[in-house]
Amino acid sequence: MKAERSARMMWWPLIEPSFWWIRVRYGFDMKSAQDGVAAIRGSRADVLLIHGSKDQTAALAGAERLRIANPQHTNLIVIRGANHEWFSEDRPEVMNRVMTWFDAHATSY
């Protein structure tokens, strides 16, 4: 539980403003979503999912279900050997893939 709390504290500055932006820009309150698959299925916003292949906290199958729910607007990056806190030797490669995704989607809004 301590690792989960630390991860929340570390990622809060990214996640909370993102939720705020989605609410303002698209009128969708992420915190009120009861089912991620239903929420993403009807979305027209491009979504990037990042998941560790060795995540013991959240199963990779959940991220795959989200991607399958809206493959036109959803990309999934699986980080080899990474756990829930996203520790992996592939960090530079992953950051490159994330930045490439942002570059590709920067003009879509």
Side-chain angles (χ1 to χ4, degrees), residues 9-47:
M9 289 173 55
M10 183 173 70
W11 290 107
W12 185 92
L14 175 64
I15 292 173
E16 288 301 320
S18 298
F19 282 8
W20 174 83
W21 171 249
I22 291 166
R23 188 171 56 252
V24 170
R25 176 77 164 90
Y26 300 102
F28 181 76
D29 183 3
M30 294 286 289
K31 292 181 179 181
S32 69
Q34 295 178 5
D35 176 359
V37 171
I40 208 167
R41 184 176 293 126
S43 174
R44 293 184 326 171
D46 293 312
V47 175

Side-chain angles (χ1 to χ4, degrees), residues 49-104:
L49 303 169
I50 304 171
H51 203 286
S53 67
K54 296 201 179 207
D55 189 335
Q56 299 292 317
T57 304
L60 178 57
E64 290 170 340
R65 276 194 305 275
L66 291 171
R67 183 186 53 78
I68 290 168
N70 191 343
Q72 182 179 3
H73 293 285
T74 308
N75 292 79
L76 171 61
I77 294 175
V78 178
I79 307 167
R80 288 184 313 257
N83 60 23
H84 194 70
E85 284 80 29
W86 198 45
F87 297 117
S88 167
E89 295 175 6
D90 294 334
R91 194 172 206 119
E93 174 193 336
V94 172
M95 291 308 296
N96 185 44
R97 290 175 65 190
V98 169
M99 296 310 293
T100 300
W101 185 89
F102 275 105
D103 286 345

